[in-house]
Amino acid sequence: MRLVLYYLIVLGSSYVISTYGPHQRAQMTGDILLGGLFPIHFGVASKDQDLAARPESTQCVRFNFRGFRWLQAMIFAIDEINNSSTLLPNITLGYRIFDTCNTVSKALEATLSFVAQNKIDSLNLDEFCNCTDHIPATIAVVGAAGSAVSTAVANLLGLFYIPQISYASSSRLLSNKNQYKSFMRTIPTDEYQATAMADVIEYFEWNWVIAVASDDDYGRPGIEKFEKEMEERDICIHLNELISQYFEDHEIQALADRIENSTAKVIVVFASGPDIEPLIKEMVRRNITDRIWLASEAWASSSLIAKPEYLDVVAGTIGFALKAGHIPGLREFLQQVQPKRDSHNEFVREFWEETFNCYLEDSQRQQESENGSTSFRPLCTGEEDITSVETPYLDYTHFRISYNVYVAVYSIAQALQDILTCTPGHGLFANNSCADIKKMEAWQALKQLRHLNYTNSMGEKMHFDENSDMASNYTIINWHRSAEDGSVVFEDVGYYSMHVKRGAKLFIDKTKILWNGYSSEAPFSNCSEDCEPGTRKGIIDSMPTCCFECTECSDGEYSNHKDASVCTKCPYNSWSNGNHTFCFLKEIEFLSWTEPFGIALAICAVLGVLLTAFVIGVFVRFRNTPIVKATNRELSYVLLFSLICCFSSSLIFIGEPEDWTCRLRQPAFGISFVLCISCILVKTNRVLLVFEAKMPTSLHRKWWGLNLQFLLVFLCTFVQVMICVVWLYNAPPSSRKNHDIDEIIFITCNEGSVMALGFLIGYTCLLAAICFFFAFKSRNLPENFTEAKFITFSMLIFFIVWISFIPAYFSTYGKFVSAVEVIAILASSFGMLACIFFNKVYIILFKPFRNTIEEVRCSTAAHAFKVAAKATLKHNTAARKKSGSIGGSSASTPSSSISLKTNGNDCDATSGKHKPRVSFGSGTVTLSLSFEESRRSSLM
């Protein structure tokens, strides 16, 4: 089996060497041989092999001028190294370069030539044949271009550890060192390019795109990585298509139909120029000019697509081009090409014929033309001026792939230089030994390349990373139409740096971009219209996430940018504006001193204090008058003081609530009101008891002296004080911010315990009810002695106010809670002040003739006789009923009458005596009352 394998390799190598004629290689001998694989043609002619005869080698078609320039860059680099006195002195590099025709089969055919020569000696085939023929082994291969081609070549070269350095294969699969052991490259991997493409789409805020990839090892992995990047960014791919240059016409037309019917305006293409060309032609035929193309590096500057006749469709293309490099002398070298001078490079003849559209003497292509296989062309001499024609070969704008080829050749040369200058004991091989440059094998060159680290002539650091990739950056280009001749101009509009922090990788100068060749406004490629700030994206059933409807943010939420996925909730102290585009600080509200309502309440409270102080002043000024004395002077002072406290306590409810004000205001209000009502209760009850007594005695005077009155007031107030102390100890009130209202923060007092507040108000109302009872009962006493009727009215006002307060308190919110309580305090305070004291102040100030001792005595006597008359009438009625029951119905009952006769002289202001006369039927009884001043005072 082993012999059979060896035999096949030998046969393959012999076949490769023998069948590759002069037109199929560029070759020059040297001490060390480098291999090269370049796409000199774009493809092969499709031919149906029916195997009726021996199959012929497929013919390569469509000359690739750029591919030929890359080949020339390799030859230029080798010539430059051979002419260098410092790099590989006394060692000549040779080369064997083949055309891959951009296909795997042609590339493998060429690769077999490299492998066979390297392995003849190691396979011990000398006994079968002498195959060396003095051809040096190929120690490294530069190429190939396409990732699919490089993948096939790498599988074969990796078996024999022949280093392969690609200048244009970017597939991320080739970074797998377990599978592709000897593969290296001077171009960044598509791992970065797919991310860069997704970043560009995100940068322009597109979310609805079409993805097209070549059906090979370049397009499929690239678009797979691109899909993952798009998913992470929540961007949707409407169509995901594969394409190949070998697609049938109906397949291309079907793909064009799907693209034309799609609403996506951006087409991302991971493919080479030959693969995408059929689709571009169909788009041109249909005149579909409203699409933007995002090109991978494989066709971003392809001369196959960048043609004036395609510009109506592809103008405005955004492409990722490799970093351009400067190669001194290459421009002049390219201009010096001539068929007669470059005899070692048989591709030059075809290049010349394609450039000048002619045939050279003895050209095989001319013979084919004569046989009718091609169109007629004139003869050319081979000495025409190459600079007189336009050709992609002489496009000096940027050296991108050519620079990568140049770097690949110099990397191999530098590795050989490291082997040449290696010091024994410091080498990379067993026992730190060094390789022999004259007997070096390919695997030793691979080892040295993996540890390569040098600085080139332009000061750039060169080395391969752990995946054998060389770090580089992308230049972002935009396809413009030249104003001079209508050709394609690649305008640099930005760059993508792969090894910087995220967010700083991408830079694009929008001002340089021309969309569709003329517009400066970026196209719209979204499934749905942008959601304006203040709205969010809403999901539409059975549609991709990129297709959405715009839903307005809820109150208290906002979005300040377009296409917000969610609305952001405003901070707790903020609220959204009407458009929900931003949050503003909530207005802080409380019953302020500066607002009109607060000012009005404060004025009313101050007015109450001033009026009460005025009444106190009047009472102090006229303290020895009968009216003041008759109102229980000392208790009146305490009552007026408590009213001042009531009015003053309402002021604590105004202003920004703080902990100390919250803890002070309810106790101040409760204690002030209890003190006030206690005074009214004690005074009213005392007078009632005195006037209901048959005869005032010393016992009454003892129990209703001032000391006992103040003691009762103190005890009633003390109960309220204890309620407040227990409340403040167990659940002290505190200020809090109420965020329940949308646009306002109310600073209110948290009462701590609603039950405690209920006890406080309930106890006050209980005392008021008792007071109302006694006041109502004593409503007919002499008005000079008590204000029973007015106290009754004041208590009615008190009950109406505080009964109304309870539902109002629990139904209002914010600052209005304090306002309701202030109004209740002021209303009840004004009610008591007005009802109890205003009439007396009026008499004292405006009716002084009624503020006399005689007026008081007259009023007291009148009340006494009214009481006596009622008692006599009651007694007489009872007697008649009794006599009627004894005498029978026939007995007549003498009529009797009771009359109280008074005349103008009965209450003489000057006499000091009162003698009212009461008649009882048959007689007259005269009663006289005389009180000493001291006794009257004690009764008052």
Side-chain angles (χ1 to χ4, degrees), residues 292-311:
I292 294 297
W293 301 81
L294 191 58
S296 65
E297 42 74 30
W299 71 280
S301 57
S302 173
S303 59
L304 197 61
I305 309 299
K307 296 179 180 180
E309 57 266 31
Y310 296 161
L311 263 182

Side-chain angles (χ1 to χ4, degrees), residues 282-486:
E282 181 63 22
M283 298 287 280
V284 171
R285 188 185 69 82
R286 300 187 182 201
N287 195 30
I288 303 175
T289 60
D290 61 341
R291 299 298 196 271
I292 294 297
W293 301 81
L294 191 58
S296 65
E297 42 74 30
W299 71 280
S301 57
S302 173
S303 59
L304 197 61
I305 309 299
K307 296 179 180 180
E309 57 266 31
Y310 296 161
L311 263 182
D312 288 340
V313 170
V314 298
T317 295
I318 300 293
F320 284 84
L322 300 174
K323 178 184 176 183
H326 177 62
I327 307 177
L330 178 60
R331 178 174 181 176
E332 293 75 14
F333 177 82
L334 294 177
Q335 292 176 349
Q336 294 171 2
V337 63
Q338 275 191 350
K340 295 180 180 180
R341 183 182 306 165
D342 298 309
S343 58
H344 60 279
N345 186 354
E346 293 301 328
F347 296 109
V348 173
R349 294 179 61 86
E350 185 177 355
F351 160 73
W352 204 263
E353 292 175 348
E354 290 295 328
T355 300
F356 294 100
N357 195 24
C358 65
Y359 291 124
L360 295 169
E361 278 187 58
D362 302 327
S363 173
Q364 183 180 357
R365 293 160 57 88
Q366 182 183 11
Q367 297 175 5
E368 293 174 355
S369 175
E370 292 175 354
N371 295 331
S373 60
T374 60
S375 60
F376 173 78
R377 293 183 181 183
L379 291 175
C380 47
T381 64
E383 296 180 357
E384 288 79 6
D385 184 7
I386 189 66
T387 61
S388 64
V389 295
E390 285 191 14
T391 171
Y393 170 74
L394 295 180
D395 182 6
Y396 309 126
T397 308
H398 299 291
F399 291 129
R400 303 184 191 278
I401 300 295
S402 300
Y403 181 72
N404 285 353
V405 173
Y406 185 80
V407 170
V409 174
Y410 262 86
S411 296
I412 297 172
Q414 188 64 45
L416 297 176
Q417 177 71 15
D418 291 343
I419 292 175
L420 180 64
T421 58
C422 177
T423 303
H426 295 85
L428 299 176
F429 303 99
N431 300 320
N432 296 326
S433 62
C434 298
D436 186 354
I437 192 70
K438 296 180 180 180
K439 299 180 181 180
M440 186 183 60
E441 298 185 33
W443 64 269
Q444 293 173 318
L446 176 62
K447 176 72 170 179
Q448 199 70 44
L449 280 168
R450 289 178 177 176
H451 292 80
L452 183 67
N453 193 344
Y454 74 101
T455 302
N456 64 10
S457 59
M458 289 171 284
E460 297 176 328
K461 297 286 186 180
M462 297 293 176
H463 72 281
F464 295 97
D465 61 19
E466 65 276 5
N467 294 321
S468 298
D469 300 330
M470 190 167 284
S472 182
N473 297 322
Y474 290 109
T475 299
I476 300 175
I477 60 175
N478 183 222
W479 290 22
H480 291 188
R481 186 191 298 270
S482 173
E484 299 176 357
D485 55 7

Side-chain angles (χ1 to χ4, degrees), residues 187-218:
I187 183 176
T189 172
D190 285 337
E191 188 86 12
Y192 300 110
Q193 184 172 203
T195 303
M197 284 185 163
D199 285 345
V200 168
I201 292 173
E202 186 178 32
Y203 177 82
F204 288 108
E205 299 179 354
W206 297 323
N207 68 5
W208 194 238
V209 300
I210 298 171
V212 178
S214 57
D215 190 12
D216 54 27
D217 288 341
Y218 170 71

Side-chain angles (χ1 to χ4, degrees), residues 23 44 94 110 138 200 244 279 414 429 436 472 496 505 511 591 599 624 679 719 736 758 789 818 831 844 882:
H23 298 284
V44 295
T138 302
V200 168
S244 171
L279 177 61
Q414 188 64 45
F429 303 99
D436 186 354
S472 182
Y496 187 86
K505 295 177 180 288
T511 61
L591 191 57
I599 293 173
N624 293 321
C679 292
V719 174
R736 71 181 181 95
K789 293 180 180 179
S818 298
I844 293 172
K882 183 177 180 180

